[in-house]
Amino acid sequence: MFRDKSAHVANLKGKGIIYEDDDEPIRLTDQDGSQVIKEFWMSMIGKVLNAKKQNVEKLLQTMPTQWRMVDLITSNDLGNGNFLFNFSCEEDLKSVLREGPFHYNYCMLVLVRWEPIVHDDYPWIISFWVRVIGIPLHLWNVNNLRSIGGILGHVDTLELEEGRMLIDIDSRRPLKFKRKGEYEGEEVTIEFKYYMLFKHCTTCGLMSHERGYCPTINTNRPQSLMDRGGGLCASAAT
């Protein structure tokens, strides 16, 4: 007992300690992974994309009210813009999922059913219904739509007659709004319309900021002018 305590005190004072591989990742283990997965299987995990405009604490108070489930959902702030909604009923969870894609304060957010994924960026997928415009009628077929949708992300559902697809899109990457299509040496412009897409950067296509805050423009302007211009743009968009 005495030796252990003395060694502990010595360690606290930095005596006789040799630190090796200090930058090595800390090994994480699960003692009962199945139990944890079962506990959170009725949860939705989310992440705000525009931290300047989206307050997680207020979001957790507002969203259940919008869904008319104030007394049916509990929530947790996970930090770093991440959060959790916990459901007690499978049907309630599915009914909320059907309302996506989601936004708060007119800025997009990620909200998906929780999965045991280990990654700093998780979650990052937003499922958008996307309408395709500009394909010549005689080229309007499943193969062409799937090829086009594959450029945007993973095609989950395709509705040929409606001319739209449900696509899982990576929120970390810029949205695409136009592409060129080619057939027998001739080109056409193909456009993409995202249903329920709210504020995003019209310059770079990212959903994490608006045009006034885009780092790809106005880099040569004085900082004070950039801030003032960005603020005016954000206010006008709001």
Side-chain angles (χ1 to χ4, degrees):
M1 290 290 293
F2 179 77
R3 284 198 302 272
D4 290 342
K5 183 176 180 181
S6 298
H8 177 63
V9 172
N11 287 344
L12 290 178
K13 292 182 178 180
K15 296 180 179 179
I17 304 176
I18 299 177
Y19 293 102
E20 295 180 354
D21 300 326
D22 194 43
D23 291 331
E24 286 292 317
I26 301 171
R27 291 187 178 274
L28 306 176
T29 62
D30 59 354
Q31 294 183 348
D32 188 357
S34 61
Q35 180 60 34
V36 174
I37 291 174
K38 182 178 179 181
E39 178 181 353
F40 290 107
W41 188 241
M42 296 287 288
S43 299
M44 294 176 66
I45 188 169
K47 177 173 62 180
V48 298
L49 295 182
N50 192 335
K52 290 181 180 293
K53 305 294 289 291
Q54 296 171 300
N55 180 284
V56 172
E57 182 179 354
K58 292 181 179 179
L59 181 154
L60 295 179
Q61 296 172 357
T62 302
M63 299 298 281
T65 301
Q66 292 182 354
W67 300 327
R68 302 180 192 82
M69 296 184 182
V70 176
D71 299 325
L72 303 175
I73 300 176
T74 60
S75 60
N76 303 92
D77 184 346
L78 303 178
N80 296 324
N82 296 299
F83 54 88
L84 201 69
F85 285 116
N86 308 294
F87 294 77
S88 57
C89 172
E90 177 83 9
E91 187 53 42
D92 288 344
L93 187 152
K94 289 182 177 180
S95 69
V96 169
L97 280 175
R98 287 193 290 267
E99 294 186 22
F102 302 92
H103 67 93
Y104 175 71
N105 198 20
Y106 299 102
C107 298
M108 303 305 299
L109 60 90
V110 181
L111 188 58
V112 298
R113 187 162 192 164
W114 176 85
E115 295 182 68
I117 294 175
V118 180
H119 197 289
D120 284 341
D121 295 338
Y122 179 73
W124 59 80
I125 293 296
I126 297 181
S127 297
F128 280 103
W129 280 104
V130 181
R131 184 184 176 200
V132 181
I133 303 170
I135 305 177
L137 290 178
H138 64 290
L139 302 177
W140 192 270
N141 57 59
V142 171
N143 288 338
N144 283 337
L145 282 177
R146 285 202 175 275
S147 295
I148 293 168
I151 295 172
L152 305 181
H154 170 73
V155 179
D156 181 87
T157 305
L158 190 153
E159 295 182 353
L160 184 62
E161 293 184 2
E162 298 295 330
R164 66 176 192 168
M165 294 172 280
L166 182 63
I167 303 178
D168 296 335
I169 292 177
D170 190 335
S171 64
R172 301 167 298 181
R173 305 183 65 182
L175 295 170
K176 298 180 177 68
F177 293 93
K178 287 184 180 181
R179 285 294 296 263
K180 288 293 185 180
E182 185 271 333
Y183 177 73
E184 294 186 350
E186 298 294 332
E187 287 190 350
V188 294
T189 300
I190 300 172
E191 299 182 7
F192 309 119
K193 177 183 177 182
Y194 297 80
Y195 289 81
M196 296 181 66
L197 171 63
F198 285 80
K199 291 180 180 179
H200 60 283
C201 183
T202 55
T203 297
C204 72
L206 286 172
M207 291 178 280
S208 58
H209 57 269
E210 297 171 72
R211 186 177 186 276
Y213 295 95
C214 185
T216 65
I217 61 175
N218 299 327
T219 54
N220 296 324
R221 296 173 59 188
Q223 187 63 38
S224 59
L225 292 178
M226 290 176 63
D227 291 343
R228 187 158 61 245
L232 289 173
C233 180
S235 298
T238 302

